[in-house]
Structures are given as C-alpha cells and as structure tokens.
Amino acid sequence: MQIKLPKKALVTGAAGFLGSHLCRRLLDDGYEVTAVDNLFTGTRRNIYPLLENRRFQFVLHDITLPFWGQFDEIYNLACPASPFHYQHNPVETIKTSVLGIINMLELALKTKAKILQASTSEVYGDPLVHPQTETYWGNVNTIGIRSCYDEGKRCAETLMADFRREWGVDARIVRIFNTYGPNMHPKDGRVISNFIMQALHNEDITLFGDGLQTRSFQYCDDLIEAMRRYMDKPRAEIDAFFSTRRLGVPVINTGNPGEYTIKQLAEATLKLIPESKSRLVYLPLPADDPKRRKPDIALATELLGWAPKVPLAEGLEKTIGYFRGL
Ligand code: NAD
Ligand code: UDP
C-alpha cells in the first residue's frame, strides 16, 4: 500500500493577519505547514489555535536571513503592511522585501518549489489609471515616506520575474488591495482597525485629509480563496494563460472592486456600532497618500473563476465581532 504524504507549505509572515488565515486554510486543505515569522507586527496569539495541529510548526526567524527546508509551495507574506509600521523602520522594511524574496526565491530554485509573492496595490502608487489593471506600471515616488514599502514590493516583483525568466522558477505574484478581517492587530494603524477600535472606545474617528480619498476593501476569506486557487493551478495552465498576454509573467490583482471614500467607511462603521459616542475629526493627510484605488479583477476572474463574495457591511460586522471579543 502506498502512503500519501501531505504536501508541504512554507508560509512567511505566518503570525500576521493574513498569514494566520492562510496557515489555517492550508491545514484545512491537508497541508503540512511550516510557519515563519520574526513577530515584528505579528503575534503568537494569531497562531495559538493552530499549534495543536500536528501538521503545523512555528519557527521564529527573520527572512532577511536564509532559510532552508524542502517544500512544495512557498507563500511569502512577511512584511509589515500598515504605513504606521512600515514607516517605523523603513530600512528594515525594504530589506524584508528585497533580501527576503531573494532568500525565498533561492530556496524555491534549489528545491523546485512553487512560490507566491504577496505584492500590493501600492505598486501602482498614486494611480493615474482607474481602476488599476495589471498592465498599468504605476505612479510611484522613489524617495517619499511610503517608498520603502512600495519600492521594496516593486523590486520583489522584479526579482520574481527574473528568477522565472532566468532559471524557470514557478513564481506567481498576487497584488493585494486593502484587505481586512479578524486577526488584524488592534493597534495596527490601518484604517479599518483604527475606526473600529476608536468607535468601540468612544474615541474620535480620525479622518486624514478631507476623507474623500477612496479605497476598495476586500474581506480576508475572499483573498485566501484566490491565493489557494492560484497556487493550485498547474504550471502549464499558468504558463499558457500568461504567455498570450502582454504581461508574460503571472501577476493578478485581488481585491473587492466596491469603492468607498474613507468618510463613507467611517459612517458605515459607526452604523454597525450604534452605541458609539465617537465623532468624526479631520487630521492632516499623510504625504503621498493615494487619492483613489480600485482593482480591475477581470484577469483573476478569467483565470481562477474567482470573485469576492463578502460585502463590506458583512465583513465589517465579522471584524467588529472579533475586536469586541479581544
Ligand atoms: P501583518 O503586518 O499583519 O503581517 C506581516 C507579518 O510579517 C507579521 O507577522 C510580521 O511579524 C512578519 N514579518 C515582518 N517582517 C519580517 C521579517 N523580516 N521576517 C519574518 N517575518 C516578518 O500584515 P498583513 O496585512 O497580514 O500582510 C501580509 C502580507 O500581505 C504583507 O506582505 C503585505 O505587504 C501584503 N499585503 C497586505 C495587504 C492588506 O491589506 N492586508 C495589502 C497588500 C499587501
Ligand atoms: N486613514 C484615515 N484615518 C486613519 C487611518 C487611515 O483616514 O486613522 C486613511 C489613510 O490616509 C488612507 C486610507 O485611510 O487614505 C487607508 O489607509 P491605510 O493605512 O489603511 O492603508 P493604505 O491604503 O493607505 O496603505
């Protein structure tokens, strides 16, 4: 009788918000999961429930240093994602993106693993094209306060493309638009966690600028579904699909195309927390804050038969429930 061994996945940034959801999903899908994190913005709390599973192991490790192991799939999520955190130590942020992906790509090359890079809508910067398609090259400041994140992620995409072209690594890029849900850090600094925590504690809701800048908010489960479908696609199908497109390299947007002003988001949050006594206050807009953002998801829909399912009000309600329970 032949024993079927579980597939092995490496997840970096596993103790973070998205990493912890991905680890859970991979375990549910039967994988053996090695979770790596340096706990910069992540927390052990996110992965405590997973430690009971014999197919899960956690390794405290910084991905700017090499990591060794035999894996079928590598998911590179390590990187602080909130402007508040990535600007706290910008040099460390860019090192995590650039040295981190080099280490992960070398591991993928040596072990013939598939690798997925968690890229970002920030590669489009303050976009001049709306909604943003994967063929748009972006409008990014190289020397601003967001550049450590944006340019680090852009360089990581370049490395993914070059390892693929030069050495045939099965490298797949996903550009994630603002994603939210349970397991976000309550002091993460991103807009949804800020607004919910402020509303729950009757503190002022801090709108930056006039609050008329827009974002598109994707619930975490929708993103994880897209990532899993993308990685499950056989290489031949991925190659055939992208070779007929100008992109050449596998890169897809994932996000929820519903577009809201930040003021609308504040109002929607307060509506779901009716007991809150918070009021809206306006603070200066941080430098280089993108004015509009909305994903074009036609490519992901065609390739994966995927579209986000969770509307904003439903996702906010689940997230508020999580923060109430902390
Ligand atoms: P997060 O901050 O909750 O998670 C990031 C994790 O990476 C944390 O656990 C942190 O401790 C870990 N980490 C940071 N530097 C590391 C290093 N050098 N070595 C090892 N671990 C390190 O953020 P998130 O929202 O879960 O984001 C996960 C990934 O998705 C990030 O790469 C982010 O850029 C990308 N992304 C997220 C969003 C979003 O809206 N959530 C949007 C676009 C892209
Ligand atoms: N923002 C805000 N108040 C906050 C936090 C953020 O008005 O307390 C705004 C921020 O200026 C940006 C948007 O909300 O326009 C989304 O910010 P976030 O930090 O969540 O992510 P970004 O998309 O800017 O990376």
Side-chain angles (χ1 to χ4, degrees), residues 83 146 178 190-191 194 206 208 213 215 262 289 293:
R146 296 176 83 99
N178 297 63
R190 280 179 277 189
V191 69
N194 270 10
T206 53
F208 298 163
Q213 69 273 36
R215 293 292 185 273
I262 295 306
D289 199 288
R293 188 183 286 156

Side-chain angles (χ1 to χ4, degrees), residues 42 67 184 227:
F67 188 79
M184 288 184 93
M227 281 184 169

